[in-house]
């Protein structure tokens, strides 16, 4: 069922007053891929009366007061995407469109939505119930952070919003625990995944450099970030705290990673897979084209790309759903009146991380000074695509399903590292699960830039491309690779973009038509490099192109088409260039979700793929910001 968004719906349920009201910067979409929806269903399942208000007007009391005041708390989220990323391009221009707003015009979500909605609540409800922040925007801004729009270091959003609590990461469990504590009148300060403000420093915990110091000292800011980053694993994390003005921002360790049973339960709720009719009267919601019939198979990502926020939001530990749970969801999808046989995506933050995880990580936590995949795949990470192959085959057999696509990003280095089933997985994708093109994200070709990004070397791409072309030709398919690239990432100079241009034209035979202009988003390693000109983990100096002219020049250099590729006859002869990313579906629109590009504005930012699929939970789409958003995190 839809969670109530009007007083009339509450009356039909016999609810005179709600326990919790969730306020979001998106319109209300009831989907397992939208965080505020998942959080609402988790709370209702736990016995609480919940309502949702999407995109309330700041100019009147009508929206924010229509459900009355909750007995326990207000939950506030900016939506599936950080509002500053949703509203502005990498060059600071206003975005014209919004996929989560009915009608598509970007005129409903305020800048700094979490702060704006918190102020709105206090304006119309004096001595109001506690305000609890959640979702991607709150999660990534929970500590002192660099804000690209204002070009300054800001305090925790918990202090700036004057809210009472902040739930970070995937908050499905912690939000229910918080609701129970508030209902029973218990202290909340021990709940995992909770940030709160205290007049005194906690007795146990790690002290971060105070806010006044990190504002003026880049070395202290880098040290603060490194400690913060390394305290995001549920098994090893400690309480950390930071003095901000006369008070202390305290962060408890993150929530324990979901078990498979718990993850299955969350996806077993009855979701409508549509926007609430109250909002649809204002127009269609474009995000539904992507997420309505998509399947989330797992949470978390151990890729640790430097520009990606998933590590500090969803975490580095992957938890997969059971095959039974996923197949049950597919069967429910086939009953939907709008379903025409196509499952649009089976994946997660990274599609091919389903079904396996490092045993050491599950028992002892993620390694502090070692990445699972970079600079090469860790030998203790026993990559095996067998379970995902079996899952895709079983989904195809469900009555009513015609096609099953994998459109989440894949790590091609993991395919090459899987000696047992990597080739079989690639062949399965080529034969059955891509529609004309497979999008991959090498991001760059320069060894120095790739090192700063935490991405594999260009040689890995060449090996994968050779295999892809080989099996595509063998199967008689007219399919191709398209590539995501980033310009002006820390460490990248114009000379590096010239080298990348040469690689595209001479080696890949590919003409880029979409290039992301690096967008610094809060709480990522790349953003720290951008702000401080220093790698926070190594202390080494990093070149950063900060001028708008220089950043734009890097992007435009890669997009310039050489003369020999402009000839129509020659163009068709280049293997990967027959079609490119911008030549299909919505890529020609002025606004897409991939960052600043020559084609227009996108929201690919610093996240990986589309974090549209989670929010009070949020999963990270800037590219990895958000593939999914949620008050869970």
């Amino acid at each position: 069922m839809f969670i109530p968004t009007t007083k009339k719906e509450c009356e039909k349920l016999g609810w005179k007053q709600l326990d919790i009201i969730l306020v979001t910067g998106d319109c209300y979409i009831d989907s397992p891929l939208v965080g505020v929806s998942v959080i609402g269903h988790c709370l209702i399942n736990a016995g609480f009366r919940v309502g949702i208000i999407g995109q309330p007007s700041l100019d009147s009391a009508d929206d924010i007061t229509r459900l009355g005041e909750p007995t326990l708390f207000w939950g506030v989220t900016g939506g599936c995407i950080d509002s500053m990323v949703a509203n502005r391009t990498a060059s600071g221009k206003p975005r014209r469109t919004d996929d989560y707003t009915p009608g598509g015009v970007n005129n409903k979500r305020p800048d700094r939505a979490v702060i704006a909605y918190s102020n709105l609540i206090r304006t119309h409800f004096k001595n109001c119930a506690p305000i609890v922040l959640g979702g991607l925007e709150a999660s990534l801004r929970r500590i002192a952070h660099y804000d690209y729009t204002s070009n300054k270091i800001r305090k925790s959003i918990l202090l700036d919003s004057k809210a009472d609590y902040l739930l970070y990461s995937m908050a499905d469990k912690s939000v229910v625990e918080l609701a129970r504590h508030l209902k029973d009148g218990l202290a909340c300060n021990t709940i995992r995944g909770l940030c709160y403000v205290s007049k005194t420093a906690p007795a146990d915990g790690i002290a971060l450099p105070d806010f006044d110091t990190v504002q003026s000292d880049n070395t202290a800011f880098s040290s603060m970030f490194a400690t913060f980053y390394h305290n995001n694993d549920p098994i090893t994390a400690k309480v950390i705290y930071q003095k901000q003005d006369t008070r202390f921002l305290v962060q408890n360790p993150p929530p324990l990673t979901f078990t498979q049973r718990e993850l299955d339960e969350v996806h077993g709720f009855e979701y409508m897979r549509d926007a609430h009719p109250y909002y649809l009267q204002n127009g269609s919601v474009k995000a539904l084209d992507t997420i309505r019939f998509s399947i989330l198979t797992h949470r978390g990502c151990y890729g640790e790309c430097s520009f990606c926020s998933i590590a500090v939001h969803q975490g580095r530990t992957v938890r997969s759903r059971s095959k039974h749970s996923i197949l049950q969801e597919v069967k429910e999808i086939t009953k939907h009146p709008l379903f025409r046989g196509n499952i649009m995506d089976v994946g997660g933050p990274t599609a091919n991380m389903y079904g396996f995880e490092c045993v050491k990580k599950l028992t002892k936590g993620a390694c502090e000074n070692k990445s699972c995949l970079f600079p090469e795949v860790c030998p203790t990470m026993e990559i095996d695509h067998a379970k995902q192959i079996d899952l895709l085959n079983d989904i195809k057999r469900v009555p009513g399903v015609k096609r099953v696509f994998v459109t989440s990003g894949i790590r091609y280095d993991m395919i090459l590292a899987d000696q047992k089933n990597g080739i079989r997985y690639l062949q399965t994708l080529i034969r059955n699960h891509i529609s004309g093109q497979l999008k991959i994200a090498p991001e760059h070709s320069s060894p120095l830039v790739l090192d700063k990004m935490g991405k594999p070397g260009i040689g890995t791409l060449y090996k994968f491309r050779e295999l892809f072309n080989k099996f595509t030709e063998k199967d008689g398919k007219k399919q191709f690779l398209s590539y995501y690239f980033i310009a002006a990432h820390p460490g990248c100079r114009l000379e590096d973009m010239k080298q990348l241009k040469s690689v595209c034209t001479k080696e890949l035979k590919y003409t880029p038509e979409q290039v992301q202009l690096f967008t610094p988003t809060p709480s990522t390693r790349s953003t720290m490099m951008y702000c401080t000109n220093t790698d926070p983990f190594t202390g080494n100096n990093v070149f950063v192109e900060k001028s708008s002219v220089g950043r734009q020049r890097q992007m435009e250099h890669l997009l310039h088409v050489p003369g020999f590729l402009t000839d129509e006859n020659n163009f068709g002869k280049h293997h990967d260039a027959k079609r490119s990313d911008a030549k299909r579906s919505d890529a020609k629109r002025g606004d897409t979700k991939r960052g600043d590009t020559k084609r227009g504005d996108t929201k690919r930012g610093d996240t990986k793929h589309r974090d549209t699929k989670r929010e009070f939970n949020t999963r990270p789409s800037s590219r990895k910001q958000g593939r999914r958003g949620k008050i869970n995190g």
Side-chain angles (χ1 to χ4, degrees):
M1 71 168 191
F2 281 112
I3 297 169
T5 194
T6 64
K7 198 70 173 177
K8 186 176 181 180
E9 291 171 287
C10 295
E11 291 170 353
K12 284 185 177 180
L13 293 170
W15 294 355
K16 293 183 179 180
Q17 186 175 12
L18 296 173
D19 298 316
I20 298 149
I21 297 176
L22 305 177
V23 182
T24 174
D26 302 329
C27 85
Y28 165 36
I29 301 173
D30 197 62
S31 166
L33 303 182
V34 174
V36 73
S37 172
V38 174
I39 289 297
H41 282 286
C42 285
L43 288 165
I44 289 174
N45 184 62
F48 296 99
R49 296 164 297 182
V50 182
I52 294 179
I53 300 173
Q55 299 182 321
S57 170
L58 301 183
D59 298 326
S60 76
D62 293 348
D63 287 336
I64 200 65
T65 61
R66 70 170 182 257
L67 295 179
E69 184 172 14
T71 61
L72 295 180
F73 68 85
W74 295 88
V76 177
T77 171
C80 292
I81 302 171
D82 184 294
S83 62
M84 301 309 291
V85 175
N87 289 348
R88 282 175 171 72
T89 71
S91 56
K93 299 175 183 177
R95 296 191 192 275
R96 298 182 298 276
T97 63
D98 188 333
D99 288 358
Y100 292 89
T101 295
V105 179
N106 188 18
N107 59 3
K108 296 289 187 181
R109 187 196 316 269
D111 286 350
R112 310 197 188 282
V114 168
I115 297 174
Y117 293 150
S118 297
N119 290 337
L120 180 67
I121 291 167
R122 282 193 300 271
T123 297
H124 297 288
F125 295 93
K126 305 303 179 184
N127 301 314
C128 67
I131 296 175
V132 181
L133 310 183
L136 190 66
E137 183 169 339
S139 188
L140 300 187
R141 297 176 182 269
R142 63 187 184 264
I143 199 76
H145 59 280
Y146 174 73
D147 180 72
Y148 176 61
T149 305
S150 61
N151 191 31
K152 68 179 185 179
I153 298 171
R154 294 179 65 103
K155 295 178 182 177
S156 167
I157 199 169
L158 181 58
L159 279 86
D160 280 350
S161 66
K162 299 180 176 63
D164 297 276
Y165 300 105
L166 185 155
L167 292 175
Y168 71 93
S169 188
M170 309 303 279
D172 319 58
K173 290 190 290 187
S174 53
V175 73
V176 172
E177 186 177 359
L178 177 65
R180 287 172 175 162
H181 276 60
L182 291 173
K183 180 181 179 181
D184 296 338
L186 303 175
C188 302
N189 293 357
T190 59
I191 295 173
R192 297 182 72 100
L194 182 83
C195 292
Y196 63 94
V197 177
S198 173
K199 293 181 180 179
T200 58
D204 297 317
I206 301 172
L208 303 176
D210 63 52
F211 178 75
D212 289 341
T213 300
V214 302
Q215 260 194 316
S216 57
D217 185 337
N218 283 343
T219 301
F221 191 32
S222 293
S223 173
M224 181 217 80
F225 177 79
T227 303
F228 163 75
Y229 186 90
H230 291 132
N231 278 275
N232 278 282
D233 186 272
I235 296 176
T236 61
K238 308 293 184 184
V239 172
I240 59 175
Y241 62 92
Q242 182 179 45
K243 187 177 182 181
Q244 300 191 10
D245 60 51
T246 60
R247 298 165 295 172
F248 294 87
L249 182 281
V250 183
Q251 173 182 299
N252 290 340
L256 295 175
T257 305
F258 261 36
T259 64
Q260 186 175 86
R261 182 188 61 78
E262 290 171 330
L263 196 55
D264 287 351
E265 181 182 18
V266 166
H267 286 269
F269 298 140
E270 182 184 348
Y271 297 98
M272 302 303 291
R273 296 184 180 273
D274 206 344
H276 192 287
Y278 179 87
Y279 303 96
L280 284 177
Q281 62 187 340
N282 295 318
S284 61
V285 180
K286 185 171 178 55
L288 285 166
D289 296 345
T290 303
I291 68 174
R292 192 196 305 271
F293 301 129
S294 292
I295 305 289
L296 183 70
T297 60
H298 60 281
R299 288 183 180 178
C301 178
Y302 39 73
E304 281 196 283
C305 300
S306 299
F307 48 80
C308 176
S309 61
I310 289 181
V312 298
H313 183 62
Q314 285 198 30
R316 294 167 56 188
T317 301
V318 171
R319 279 297 193 188
S320 300
R321 295 169 60 190
S322 68
K323 183 196 293 187
H324 174 76
S325 168
I326 295 170
L327 292 178
Q328 284 299 115
E329 183 175 356
V330 173
K331 291 174 184 177
E332 289 301 314
I333 284 177
T334 62
K335 300 174 185 177
H336 196 286
L338 297 179
F339 184 66
R340 298 294 180 265
N342 293 331
I343 301 294
M344 301 308 295
D345 184 29
V346 178
T350 300
N352 57 325
M353 289 184 181
Y354 173 77
F356 55 88
E357 192 31 297
C358 172
V359 176
K360 179 182 176 182
K361 190 196 301 183
L362 293 174
T363 56
K364 297 183 179 180
C367 299
E368 180 173 322
N369 298 311
K370 186 178 181 182
S371 174
C372 297
L373 301 182
F374 182 81
E376 57 188 20
V377 177
C378 178
T380 62
M381 176 64 72
E382 297 182 1
I383 297 173
D384 188 350
H385 291 83
K387 288 185 178 180
Q388 190 173 20
I389 296 170
D390 292 343
L391 175 65
L392 292 170
N393 288 335
D394 286 348
I395 293 175
K396 281 172 50 185
R397 298 188 187 102
V398 173
V401 174
K402 298 176 182 177
R403 295 291 305 275
V404 180
F405 297 106
V406 176
T407 56
S408 297
I410 64 165
R411 288 288 300 233
Y412 51 84
D413 52 339
M414 291 175 58
I415 293 177
L416 297 177
D418 181 0
Q419 299 299 313
K420 297 178 183 178
N421 293 293
I423 295 299
R424 189 161 69 96
Y425 176 68
L426 177 58
Q427 290 175 312
T428 300
L429 288 180
I430 290 171
R431 289 171 183 166
N432 301 310
H433 303 295
I434 61 176
S435 179
Q437 67 173 333
L438 178 64
K439 296 181 181 180
I440 56 176
E443 310 295 8
H444 217 286
S445 61
S446 163
L448 186 148
V449 179
L450 290 170
D451 178 71
K452 298 306 177 189
M453 292 178 169
K455 297 288 287 188
I458 194 68
T460 307
L461 173 63
Y462 292 157
K463 291 177 183 177
F464 177 77
R465 177 177 175 270
E466 182 180 356
L467 288 173
F468 179 88
N469 290 342
K470 172 184 174 181
F471 294 126
T472 296
E473 183 176 352
K474 181 179 178 180
D475 286 351
K477 299 275 190 178
K478 293 184 178 180
Q479 298 182 146
F480 61 98
L481 294 173
S482 64
Y483 308 93
Y484 287 151
F485 297 112
I486 296 178
H489 186 276
C492 183
R493 301 174 185 268
L494 182 60
E495 290 73 17
D496 297 309
M497 296 306 293
K498 291 178 179 178
Q499 177 197 16
L500 177 56
K501 180 69 174 183
S502 176
V503 167
C504 287
T505 55
K506 295 179 181 179
E507 302 295 335
L508 302 180
K509 307 297 189 293
Y510 177 77
T511 305
E513 294 195 24
Q514 282 195 326
V515 180
Q516 176 194 350
L517 188 60
F518 170 68
T519 307
T521 56
S523 299
T524 69
R525 182 182 180 184
S526 294
T527 296
M528 290 299 300
M529 287 188 259
Y530 180 91
C531 173
T532 66
N533 290 85
T534 304
D535 187 326
F537 295 164
T538 66
N540 296 333
N541 292 334
V542 180
F543 168 79
V544 179
E545 179 57 77
K546 294 186 178 180
S547 74
S548 57
V549 172
R551 282 162 55 83
Q552 194 72 17
R553 185 179 293 133
Q554 285 197 22
M555 183 178 72
E556 291 181 349
H557 185 86
L558 187 58
L559 292 170
H560 175 70
V561 182
F564 78 90
L565 282 181
T566 59
D567 183 275
E568 185 175 353
N569 294 327
N570 284 334
F571 185 81
K573 295 178 182 178
H574 292 283
H575 197 86
D576 290 345
K578 291 180 182 177
R579 288 176 64 208
S580 65
D581 189 19
K583 290 198 174 182
R584 66 184 290 271
S585 66
D586 60 349
K588 285 189 176 181
R589 293 169 55 244
D591 279 334
T592 71
K593 284 196 174 173
R594 215 183 155 251
D596 257 15
T597 72
K598 194 70 174 177
R599 287 286 180 186
D601 302 338
T602 74
K603 291 181 184 174
R604 188 170 173 254
D606 296 2
T607 64
K608 184 175 182 178
H609 326 309
R610 311 159 309 211
D611 200 47
T612 63
K613 291 182 184 175
R614 293 216 179 257
E615 173 208 312
F616 230 101
N617 260 10
T618 303
R619 292 167 99 205
S621 189
S622 152
R623 182 154 97 261
K624 257 185 171 174
Q625 233 193 83
R627 201 192 138 107
R628 280 93 171 152
K630 162 186 175 185
I631 256 188
N632 262 17

